[in-house]
Amino acid sequence: ALPISRSSRGEFRQKTKTQTVPNMLSRLVSRAAPAVRAKPGQAAVFPAQARCFAHPINTHLMRDNDEISPSSEKPMYRNEFVMKSPKEHQKDVETRVGHPAVHDTSELIQSHAGDPHQYYGIGEWRFAHYDTVREPTFPRKPDISKGELASGATVTRTDVWADPKEPAITSVAKFSPENFRPVGFAENAPMPTSTVPEGTLDFRANRLPIGHADRRPFVYFMTAASGVIAASLIRAIAGKLILTLWPAKDVFAAGIVEVDLRPIREGQNFVCKWRSKPVFIRKRTPEMIESCKKDDVIAPSMREPATDAERCKKPEWLICIGVCTHLGCIPQPDAGNYGGYFCPCHGSHYDHAGRIRQGPAPKNLELPPYQFLDDNTVKLG
């Protein structure tokens, strides 16, 4: 690439300073043209939209530029290229007479081609081989005999590819970008044989070949270690999943209630809460116990047969859930035809053992799981 000298850059920038404002105003006026009147049912088409194929607005990189000429007019690179097939370029690289091989980066030759960047805009530099300034509708035809580059618009909008001696498809194929290489590419292109200078320890000499017997212990160790790590991960994931489904401790705590029986008087119906349900704990009198045992003879004919001994682990204590088995109402104690419990909602009568004796309730009052820890303490749940 040919660099731009300091003097030419200064002249170029001085020139652009005097032309930038008028050119910008002229571009704004041209772009502010009214929209083309559309037919009914169609959107209006602006000039910018009509100029861009398959784009609603002009967002592609190719654009008009009043400060820089297109590449076909004034290329910012050394416009000398060799036009050959890729195989011929590869052959040139293989048979080239290049620079002597070096073993240290300080011995590399200094580039004499100048600044490889392409000047674009004002004060901006880019790596580019072809300027993004839009080519004119009819660009200048490249001179292939001088090695000028023919690509893009300079091929499709000119007849540089035309050769009457061969078919057009063959001629056009010759102008594929891969057929062009800069002059001197084969001789000057870097072809490193190694990125590691001599004397640099990269452990290549310390590595054992694949399949060597001394590699097996390490392979076995890595396999066992990977297995242990995988098993640990599986165990941790499985444990987390199980603990996620496990009930919380407060749920366990709410499921077990210990009740002190000492404050309960004889004949009293004590109410406590267990798993959000009322539980009746009644200390029965001898008369209550006697009446319930007396009715054991007709227990088989009851709606849910049960003897007094089956309902009460200790004769003096009746422990049942205080929810009517009909529709879930809370029965009233010491009421009803049998003196035990009475549900006023629909008229279910229970005796002193919590057995249904009359009314629509289908079952006896439910018995919670309980056990006596001692004579004065009972555990529910």
Side-chain angles (χ1 to χ4, degrees):
L2 291 177
I4 302 177
S5 62
R6 297 180 181 271
S7 59
S8 60
R9 290 179 187 173
E11 294 174 0
F12 181 75
R13 291 176 180 173
Q14 184 65 27
K15 182 179 179 180
T16 55
K17 287 180 181 178
T18 59
Q19 294 181 355
T20 298
V21 175
N23 291 338
M24 289 177 62
L25 294 177
S26 63
R27 287 200 302 272
L28 290 175
V29 173
S30 63
R31 293 175 183 176
V36 180
R37 183 178 299 276
K39 297 179 180 180
Q42 296 181 354
V45 180
F46 290 87
Q49 293 176 314
R51 188 173 65 251
C52 303
F53 178 73
H55 282 276
I57 56 176
N58 188 5
T59 57
H60 53 69
L61 294 177
M62 300 300 293
R63 64 196 65 164
D64 297 323
N65 196 314
D66 296 333
E67 288 82 17
I68 298 180
S69 301
S71 295
S72 61
E73 300 294 337
K74 184 180 178 182
M76 296 297 179
Y77 49 84
R78 183 180 178 182
N79 197 6
E80 294 182 15
F81 291 81
V82 177
M83 184 178 177
K84 293 181 180 180
S85 65
K87 292 183 178 180
E88 293 175 330
H89 284 304
Q90 182 64 26
K91 186 176 180 180
D92 291 344
V93 172
E94 294 173 354
T95 60
R96 68 172 185 163
V97 179
H99 300 280
V102 297
H103 301 282
D104 193 87
T105 54
S106 62
E107 300 177 3
L108 293 173
I109 62 172
Q110 298 295 326
S111 173
H112 61 280
D115 197 329
H117 297 74
Q118 183 174 208
Y119 184 71
Y120 182 85
I122 300 177
E124 184 179 359
W125 301 84
R126 291 184 180 180
F127 279 105
H129 298 290
Y130 195 79
D131 204 338
T132 55
V133 178
R134 191 194 308 277
E135 292 285 351
T137 304
F138 300 102
R140 182 181 64 84
K141 179 180 177 180
D143 190 350
I144 302 299
S145 62
K146 295 182 179 180
E148 293 184 352
L149 177 64
S151 64
T154 58
V155 175
T156 59
R157 300 180 186 177
T158 65
D159 60 349
V160 67
W161 54 269
D163 189 350
K165 300 180 183 179
E166 59 185 5
I169 189 172
T170 304
S171 302
V172 172
K174 292 181 179 179
F175 288 85
S176 175
E178 61 185 3
N179 294 335
F180 288 88
R181 294 284 179 89
V183 171
F185 174 83
E187 294 78 10
N188 297 289
M191 299 293 176
T193 57
S194 174
T195 58
V196 182
E198 293 294 335
T200 301
L201 182 60
D202 61 351
F203 300 99
R204 286 182 294 179
N206 300 343
R207 297 173 184 167
L208 294 175
I210 296 177
H212 196 279
D214 292 342
R215 291 173 59 97
R216 293 177 183 174
F218 178 75
V219 173
Y220 295 156
F221 170 76
M222 292 302 298
T223 303
S226 302
V228 171
I229 295 173
S232 301
L233 292 176
I234 294 174
R235 175 186 174 277
I237 294 173
K240 288 293 184 181
L241 292 177
I242 294 173
L243 292 177
T244 301
L245 302 175
W246 203 262
K249 292 184 177 181
D250 56 347
V251 176
F252 278 114
I256 299 176
V257 176
E258 294 184 2
V259 181
D260 186 6
L261 302 177
R262 288 175 295 181
I264 303 176
R265 301 185 304 272
E266 191 177 69
Q268 179 185 358
N269 186 77
F270 180 79
V271 182
C272 68
K273 186 178 180 181
W274 174 74
R275 294 186 180 178
S276 301
K277 297 179 181 180
V279 175
F280 294 162
I281 302 177
R282 166 166 284 192
K283 189 174 184 180
R284 299 191 298 178
T285 62
E287 291 79 10
M288 295 177 182
I289 299 172
E290 183 64 25
S291 64
C292 290
K293 289 184 177 181
K294 185 178 179 181
D295 292 338
D296 284 347
V297 294
I298 60 173
S301 63
M302 294 181 183
R303 192 168 300 173
E304 186 179 4
T307 62
D308 184 71
E310 292 173 348
R311 299 282 299 173
C312 303
K313 294 181 180 181
K314 288 186 176 183
E316 66 273 20
W317 294 104
L318 170 65
I319 301 176
C320 61
I321 297 177
V323 177
C324 181
T325 58
H326 180 218
L327 293 177
C329 302
I330 299 178
Q332 295 180 358
D334 302 319
N337 296 337
Y338 296 88
Y341 301 95
F342 172 69
C343 182
C345 299
H346 302 93
S348 296
H349 300 261
Y350 302 89
D351 60 12
H352 292 292
R355 296 175 292 192
I356 181 63
R357 303 298 295 272
Q358 184 181 347
K363 295 183 178 181
N364 302 330
L365 293 179
E366 184 181 354
L367 300 178
Y370 67 94
Q371 61 178 344
F372 290 94
L373 300 180
D374 52 42
D375 293 339
N376 299 319
T377 308
V378 64
K379 183 176 74 173
L380 304 177

